[in-house]
Amino acid sequence: MSTDTTDADNDLRERITNFLRRNFPQIQMHGGSAAINHLDRETGEVTIQLGGACSGCGISPMTIQAIKSRMVKEIPEIETVHADTGMDSGADGDLGGTSSGGGMSPSFPGETTDDGGDDEGPQAPF
């Protein structure tokens, strides 16, 4: 890989990172993170992984759709955006559900379950 190609890749990565920070500050403000997992300049494809508080967040699908539609408009080299939170596989935990039941069910503040699993943190005072 030539130095020019490396510089161009680094410039594109920086522009993508700045795009995410500028257009989606709520990701970081709410305890989430966004990382470039893969970038292919030749095909114009980028893969973004949202993590932290984004995993299991109810509005992360809307954030992902906004990233996908806006990034291709603002960054001409990008033609396709793949983005997810890593929770698309139906993994246990994003809404407090269990994978053994075949579906997920929401958990609510103050609700307790005796599943023997990890503690979900302090309970609400109501």
Side-chain angles (χ1 to χ4, degrees):
M1 184 179 280
S2 73
T3 304
D4 291 339
T5 304
T6 303
D7 289 345
D9 283 351
N10 289 338
D11 175 63
L12 184 55
R13 281 182 178 276
E14 186 174 332
R15 287 191 292 138
I16 292 169
T17 300
N18 288 337
F19 164 84
L20 292 167
R21 283 188 191 135
R22 185 177 61 253
N23 291 289
F24 300 95
Q26 69 273 22
I27 292 173
Q28 235 178 354
M29 290 178 356
H30 294 158
S33 63
I36 301 168
N37 273 0
H38 177 74
L39 176 61
D40 187 334
R41 265 185 129 261
E42 289 182 24
T43 63
E45 288 188 63
V46 63
T47 303
I48 306 292
Q49 180 71 42
L50 300 180
C54 293
S55 296
C57 175
I59 60 171
S60 64
M62 289 182 281
T63 303
I64 288 170
Q65 282 306 113
I67 289 170
K68 287 180 176 183
S69 66
R70 291 169 62 183
M71 188 181 294
V72 296
K73 292 176 185 173
E74 190 168 320
I75 303 174
E77 296 92 335
I78 300 299
E79 294 181 22
T80 307
V81 178
H82 304 283
D84 65 43
T85 61
M87 299 302 289
D88 293 340
S89 63
D92 187 23
D94 69 327
L95 288 176
T98 59
S99 56
S100 62
M104 295 182 288
S105 61
S107 61
F108 300 97
E111 180 181 59
T112 60
T113 58
D114 189 17
D115 61 1
D118 294 331
D119 183 28
E120 292 185 19
Q123 300 217 353
F126 50 87

